[in-house]
Amino acid sequence: MSTSTGHETRIRIERDSLGSLAVPTSALWGIHTERAILNFPISGIQLGTHRHLVRALAVVKKAAALTNTELGLIPDDIGLAIASACDTVASGEVDDAFPVDVIQGGAGTSTNMNANEVIANLALESLGHPRGSYEVIDPIGHVNKCQSTNDVYPTAVRLALVFALEDLLKQLALLSESFAERGHAFADIPKIGRTQLQDAVPMTLGQEFTAFAVTLEEDQRRLREAAALLRECSLGATAIGTGITADPRYVERVIDKLSAVSGVQLTRAHDFVEATWDTGAFMTFSGALKRTAIKLSKISSDLRLLSSGPQTGLAEIRLPPRQAGSSIMPGKVNPVIPEVINQIAFLVAGADVTVTMAADNGQLQLNAFEPVIAHALLQSLSWLTNGCDVLRELCVSGVEANETLLRSRARASTAQATALLPVLGYAVAAGVAHRALVSGQSVIDIAVSEGLLQPEQAERLMATDSCGDAISVVTACQ
């Protein structure tokens, strides 16, 4: 019994190879976790906040326990108690029992031991023993049987990323659908497309929003392709890929067992030694996440630009007002939702640099920096998932078109001259555009008044076909 800040605190004394340490009696974790709490007061972000990683650790430990039990490497009652404890951890009931900081030295050893200790103590309680009775169920001898941090941790990270990606893909699909719906609603609203911020050619607002939907559909496919590399894992490789301390039968069976337990079809790495230090799959996946983030940022910047004004900017669309924009400028409303997406993208791009540097600096047979890789990727996934949800719910679904302004600009713009090329040729069309700029008349009106187009041709030229291809309409007018 000891006291802390004047209050009585019940403790148990646990021992490891470095000595002994007091652990709160109520704690599901043990001495290795307690040391990590003291060693790594870095980010203040606890492992338990990465729900998918905790779940993945539990699933890996369950697959190992079931395999060890089937092979007779641990007693049946202990193996089943461990497997049941893993289910409890996977459910999210004890996330607060994972207090280790996400940024840690040791290549994830503290994370692995946190899982081992929590699972051991849950299993002990299920069999009627007090926490810390490791002579009955040992975190290393039983829960970590045939394993090493060096194969458990990267396997769990890969699995966690696959789990987390499903959340992002769902939100990306919903966001894409929302853009597509707006594209359909705006299908008949003409506008002028721009290149290099200058008026270029006619298009529709619907085309602009449909393109946003299409690009996000493409990125869902790219993310799935990158995630396929994460399904190759090294469980059974133990310390450096040689499988030392693991029963050969366990090595042959455990990945199939993990596929069954996790519901994710996994494959065994071709070479365990290479797989133990290689982080190429994380880099590829990080690059795919960055690609998606940057596309979302580009779209958000476009939404901000298109809604700018509302009186002195482009003002082609109206974003849903979400909060007062200023403490000093009455009536100002800022595009706060697109702005937050931009900032998420900045973080994801930075996280990609972190993953790259961590991958580069892993020496020899192990990369010691996988904890920061895991945190960078899981945080990116979480922020992107939340960002897509917010962008859809609070912005895209409520976007409105400034249709009167768009139609007026489309008719008046000299960009209409581009549509005349197949009929009039470049030189004549350029002359019409110049005269329109000087006179303030529309390109179409000048072309008709000068006898270059018949009125009915002009009307058809002002329209677009279902694909919005003004040039194909011009060709049909010839």
Side-chain angles (χ1 to χ4, degrees), residues 138-419:
D138 182 48
I140 296 177
H142 293 115
V143 182
N144 201 63
K145 183 74 174 178
C146 292
Q147 302 154 63
S148 164
T149 293
N150 301 351
D151 64 340
V152 166
Y153 188 77
T155 297
V157 171
R158 287 166 178 261
L159 200 53
L161 295 175
V162 171
F163 291 156
L165 178 60
E166 289 306 310
D167 294 340
L168 175 58
L169 290 174
K170 176 182 177 182
Q171 291 301 331
L172 277 171
L174 291 172
L175 179 57
S176 180
E177 290 171 7
S178 187
F179 274 119
E181 185 279 327
R182 290 290 79 194
H184 179 74
F186 302 151
D188 296 326
I189 301 177
K191 63 164 288 179
I192 298 302
R194 299 176 179 86
T195 60
Q196 296 158 283
L197 296 179
Q198 304 300 305
D199 294 354
V201 298
M203 65 181 300
T204 67
L205 187 63
Q207 286 178 297
E208 195 161 28
F209 274 73
T210 298
F212 294 155
V214 170
T215 200
L216 295 181
E217 289 174 1
E218 290 178 351
D219 268 45
Q220 292 170 60
R221 292 192 289 272
R222 300 296 85 78
L223 285 166
R224 287 191 178 94
E225 290 168 0
L229 299 176
L230 299 172
R231 295 170 181 259
E232 180 184 286
C233 63
S234 62
L235 194 60
T238 67
I240 65 169
T242 62
I244 192 170
T245 74
D247 188 299
R249 298 172 298 165
Y250 166 91
V251 176
E252 291 297 323
R253 298 186 188 187
V254 70
I255 291 178
D256 287 341
K257 181 67 71 176
L258 180 57
S259 294
V261 171
S262 67
V264 176
Q265 186 58 51
L266 303 166
T267 60
R268 177 177 173 174
H270 174 69
D271 186 295
F272 273 173
V273 174
E274 184 271 346
T276 303
W277 62 258
D278 178 46
T279 54
F282 296 137
M283 285 191 287
T284 298
F285 187 69
S286 180
L289 282 181
K290 182 179 72 172
R291 168 189 159 126
T292 298
I294 297 305
K295 285 192 179 185
L296 286 167
S297 184
K298 188 269 188 217
I299 291 169
S300 295
S301 294
D302 283 357
L303 294 176
R304 290 167 53 214
L305 189 57
L306 291 171
S307 66
S308 62
Q311 293 167 309
T312 60
L314 296 186
E316 294 186 353
I317 61 174
R318 290 182 287 269
L319 305 183
R322 290 301 170 192
Q323 68 180 54
S326 174
S327 61
I328 191 174
M329 293 170 278
K332 186 172 185 284
V333 178
N334 296 327
V336 293
I337 302 303
E339 286 173 351
V340 83
I341 302 302
N342 291 136
Q343 292 174 79
I344 291 171
F346 305 158
L347 176 128
V348 175
D352 183 58
V353 174
T354 297
V355 171
T356 301
M357 297 304 296
D360 176 42
N361 284 280
Q363 292 87 25
L364 303 177
Q365 279 68 59
L366 180 67
N367 189 305
F369 308 115
E370 287 185 356
V372 78
I373 291 176
H375 175 61
L377 292 177
L378 288 168
Q379 180 174 263
S380 294
L381 279 162
S382 176
W383 285 29
L384 282 171
T385 300
N386 294 339
C388 287
D389 186 31
V390 166
L391 183 59
R392 173 179 58 87
E393 283 283 342
L394 301 183
C395 183
V396 176
S397 63
V399 172
E400 296 177 347
N402 191 344
E403 185 171 352
T404 301
L405 178 66
L406 284 166
R407 290 188 181 280
S408 173
R409 285 178 176 171
R411 184 169 188 87
S413 174
T414 56
Q416 295 286 354
T418 305

Side-chain angles (χ1 to χ4, degrees), residues 42-58:
I42 307 301
S43 70
I45 303 172
Q46 296 185 349
L47 175 63
T49 63
H50 284 320
R51 171 89 283 277
H52 291 297
L53 182 53
V54 172
R55 175 189 170 197
L57 284 163

